Amino acid sequence: MALNTANATSSNWRTRLQTLGKEQFIIDEMIRLGFSDITPTQQEHFKKISDELANINTELYKLQKELNGIEDVTPLLKQIRQNRIERVRAKRIVSRIEKEANAKLHKENITARQKATPSHLGDDISAGLVYTNTDLEKLKANNLPLVENLTQLAELSKLEEKNWKWLSYHRRVAKIDHYTRFEIPKKKGGTRQIAAPKKTLRKAQTWILENILEKIPAHEAAFAFLPKMSTKLNADKHLNKNIVVRIDLKDFFPSIKFPRVKGLFRSFGYSEAMATIFALVCTDALRVEAVLDQKNSFVALGERFLPQGACTSPMITNLICRKLDNRLQNLAQKIAEKSEEKHHFSYTRYADDLVFSTESKDPALMKQLLHFVNKIVADEKLEINREKTMIMRKSQRQTVTGVLVNNNETKISRTDIRKFRAFLHQFKVIGEVEMSKKIGKDAKHYGKGYFSYLKMISPTQASKIAETNAWLLEK
């Protein structure tokens, strides 16, 4: 019996311990055995807290049992954290690469844009570099190549963009000169400034001449620098007239300035920028060589104008003078219509040489003509060289571009024929080598060249000369 009571007490003890928890069990036993004087209220409060703690422990126990079957996630969390760091780092690298690539692309776009459409070509030049106002209809009507930027121009001309920019860039002080400059003597004294373009510039100007300028027709009164035209054809228009008036334009090529040349290309339909580039390639300022900062430099003096020696200059003058030619031709026609005699007036222009002729003998008509010619020429921003203006009557020696027009046939003047005969005589006496030294050029080529010119002007005169100089006919 005592054993059974002990077993029951032991079983009760375990149950209370599991239910109350270790701390509460000890407190209850201490109260029961008289070791603690905790009041019932305090005991109740403590029991309440103990119960809550027990519940929490129970929950923790359950969670612990669940966690015991789960693998330790600490390494996994560490790996996740590391992956996140690597991902952020990679994102930053990608962002930096993208930023650098965008910056490079932006720089390349700017370079390409400047290559195709440069925005600066020198001081006082660059304000009008607008590439978007090309007149496509005008270009098509004029049968001209479509060129809206330097890239297109480079493809058509086989000359790189950098060369076109280099040739067109206007520098007040340049390290190199695109022209070889020299002087040649004029027939009637003085010298003429010649500017011969160097290789690359000559190539660019030739392209402009052949692909643009030569496709635009000049006025019918123009006879210089045109296919199938010659001094003879010009002179033929004034054969056997009572009065021939010859008017010379002063400083013809230098008087055609950059703005007019630019305006010409603009009138064809090219944009403001491309017209500027073409005009810069076709013009230049007078330059002098000087030493600046111990280096040789070429300093520009004054405005840009048409250089005499550039292959583009003659045709540009013909095209710029279309309005002048038209006005002067209409003037001659109106004066003829208003005159009592109704005599026809002929007008031609050979470069800077204006020629009017008529069968009329009325000096008043000539006075009237010259009055209006002066006004028209001045209005076209050109100037007449009054010292070279000549009114030649039939009783006088009438010459047009060095050719006599007094009779029904054009001829070389007696003075020029005598000079040529003198040359031929010396050629026979001292021989080709010595004669070449004397005149400073190949004597045989000169002789044949002048003979060809003579043959074109007057076959009769040429035939007489060839009778005693058969070598002129050799090929």
Side-chain angles (χ1 to χ4, degrees):
M1 183 72 179
L3 179 63
N4 290 336
T5 303
N7 288 338
T9 303
S10 175
S11 175
N12 184 47
W13 172 80
R14 287 190 181 90
T15 302
R16 287 179 63 218
L17 180 64
Q18 289 177 354
T19 303
L20 297 174
K22 182 179 179 181
E23 289 81 1
Q24 183 63 38
F25 177 79
I26 291 171
I27 292 170
D28 283 354
E29 285 298 305
M30 287 178 70
I31 294 171
R32 186 178 64 81
L33 296 173
F35 292 107
S36 175
D37 57 353
I38 298 175
T39 64
T41 302
Q42 289 175 329
Q43 186 179 354
E44 184 66 25
H45 178 69
F46 185 79
K47 186 176 184 303
K48 184 178 180 181
I49 294 173
S50 295
D51 290 343
E52 291 178 359
L53 182 60
N55 290 333
I56 292 171
N57 286 334
T58 302
E59 292 297 322
L60 286 174
Y61 178 72
K62 290 179 181 179
L63 288 173
Q64 184 65 43
K65 286 186 70 175
E66 291 177 3
L67 288 174
N68 286 339
I70 299 175
E71 184 181 352
D72 187 6
V73 296
T74 303
L76 184 59
L77 292 174
K78 186 178 180 180
Q79 184 63 44
I80 292 172
R81 191 180 300 111
Q82 184 64 31
N83 289 345
R84 186 171 67 246
I85 292 171
E86 292 297 331
R87 188 167 62 251
V88 171
R89 185 178 296 151
K91 188 176 180 181
R92 287 176 181 171
I93 293 172
V94 170
S95 178
R96 186 176 71 251
I97 292 172
E98 288 179 348
K99 187 176 180 181
E100 290 174 354
N102 288 336
K104 184 180 178 182
L105 181 62
H106 180 65
K107 187 176 180 181
E108 288 174 352
N109 287 339
I110 291 175
T111 301
R113 187 164 64 248
Q114 284 298 317
K115 188 177 181 182
T117 57
S119 59
H120 186 75
L121 290 174
D123 296 337
D124 305 323
I125 295 293
S126 305
L129 293 179
V130 179
Y131 294 84
T132 56
N133 52 1
T134 303
D135 192 327
L136 300 177
E137 292 301 320
K138 273 190 178 181
L139 291 179
K140 188 176 180 181
N142 289 321
N143 193 29
L144 297 177
L146 172 61
V147 181
E148 295 183 285
N149 54 58
L150 288 190
T151 299
Q152 292 177 353
L153 182 57
E155 291 173 358
L156 292 172
S157 65
K158 309 304 178 187
L159 196 63
E160 293 182 30
E161 295 101 321
K162 62 181 181 181
N163 286 326
W164 281 102
K165 184 175 180 180
W166 177 57
L167 294 172
S168 60
Y169 200 96
H170 176 67
R171 298 171 179 83
R172 289 292 177 190
V173 179
K175 292 181 180 178
I176 65 167
D177 192 352
H178 292 303
Y179 292 87
T180 300
R181 303 175 192 272
F182 54 93
E183 295 180 348
I184 59 172
K186 292 182 179 180
K187 258 189 175 183
K188 296 184 179 180
T191 58
R192 191 184 307 279
Q193 299 286 336
I194 302 297
K198 294 178 182 177
K199 185 178 179 181
T200 307
L201 179 58
R202 184 169 63 250
K203 184 177 179 181
Q205 289 179 346
T206 300
W207 188 90
I208 293 173
L209 174 66
E210 294 176 350
N211 293 275
I212 299 177
L213 299 175
E214 288 183 346
K215 290 188 176 182
I216 307 294
H219 192 274
E220 62 180 17
F223 281 81
F225 320 117
L226 294 168
K228 300 180 180 179
M229 292 296 183
S230 65
T231 53
K232 174 179 169 48
L233 292 176
N234 183 51
D236 283 343
K237 293 286 184 178
H238 308 285
L239 277 174
N240 203 26
K241 298 292 181 70
N242 279 312
I243 300 176
V244 176
V245 180
R246 198 172 72 213
I247 301 169
D248 182 78
L249 297 177
K250 188 176 182 180
D251 298 326
F252 187 48
F253 285 93
S255 66
I256 308 294
K257 308 294 185 184
F258 167 78
R260 285 188 87 173
V261 180
K262 176 184 171 182
L264 178 69
F265 285 105
R266 189 78 182 92
S267 71
F268 298 158
Y270 288 107
S271 68
E272 192 85 10
M274 291 311 303
T276 299
I277 290 169
F278 289 140
L280 286 168
V281 171
C282 295
T283 62
D284 194 32
L286 178 65
R287 292 186 181 271
V288 294
E289 191 170 359
V291 178
L292 300 175
D293 297 328
Q294 299 181 341
K295 294 181 181 179
N296 283 359
S297 300
F298 299 90
V299 183
L301 303 178
E303 297 180 74
R304 296 180 73 97
F305 57 86
L306 289 181
Q308 190 157 350
C311 64
T312 47
S313 294
M315 196 59 195
I316 288 175
T317 59
N318 274 342
L319 298 178
I320 284 178
C321 286
R322 285 178 300 177
K323 185 179 176 183
L324 171 71
D325 291 335
N326 191 54
R327 292 179 71 181
L328 293 179
Q329 188 178 66
N330 289 340
L331 171 66
Q333 184 178 344
K334 285 179 181 178
I335 289 178
E337 289 172 355
K338 290 180 180 180
S339 68
E340 294 181 3
E341 301 165 318
K342 304 294 182 185
H343 287 306
H344 176 71
F345 270 78
S346 294
Y347 163 71
T348 64
R349 182 182 56 80
Y350 196 92
D352 57 354
D353 205 6
L354 314 179
V355 183
F356 296 86
S357 63
T358 179
E359 294 175 1
S360 173
K361 297 180 181 180
D362 185 359
L365 289 180
M366 292 300 103
K367 186 176 180 180
Q368 186 181 13
L369 175 74
L370 289 173
H371 172 75
F372 285 108
V373 168
N374 284 331
K375 284 193 170 185
I376 291 173
V377 169
D379 191 43
E380 293 297 321
K381 296 176 183 165
L382 296 168
E383 185 180 354
I384 291 175
N385 188 344
R386 303 193 183 283
E387 294 179 1
K388 291 187 177 181
T389 299
M390 298 182 68
I391 300 176
M392 300 168 285
R393 304 188 183 280
K394 198 167 187 178
S395 57
Q396 300 171 299
R397 182 172 172 265
Q398 295 174 327
T399 60
V400 174
T401 53
V403 180
L404 285 171
V405 293
N406 285 73
N407 301 303
N408 294 324
E409 180 187 6
T410 55
K411 288 185 177 181
I412 299 294
S413 70
R414 291 179 183 177
T415 302
D416 289 339
I417 288 293
R418 279 198 299 268
K419 287 179 180 179
F420 188 50
R421 287 189 181 278
F423 162 81
L424 294 173
H425 175 72
Q426 289 186 64
F427 185 91
K428 286 180 181 179
V429 173
I430 65 177
E432 179 183 349
V433 175
E434 291 302 317
M435 194 62 188
S436 295
K437 290 179 182 178
K438 184 174 181 178
I439 66 173
K441 63 182 79 172
D442 189 305
K444 198 167 190 177
H445 286 172
Y446 168 77
K448 286 186 175 182
Y450 192 85
F451 178 74
S452 295
Y453 170 71
L454 177 61
K455 190 176 180 181
M456 176 187 70
I457 301 298
S458 176
T460 304
Q461 289 175 306
S463 176
K464 290 181 180 178
I465 293 223
E467 288 175 2
T468 53
N469 298 276
W471 65 270
L472 294 171
L473 299 173
E474 294 174 1
K475 292 186 178 179

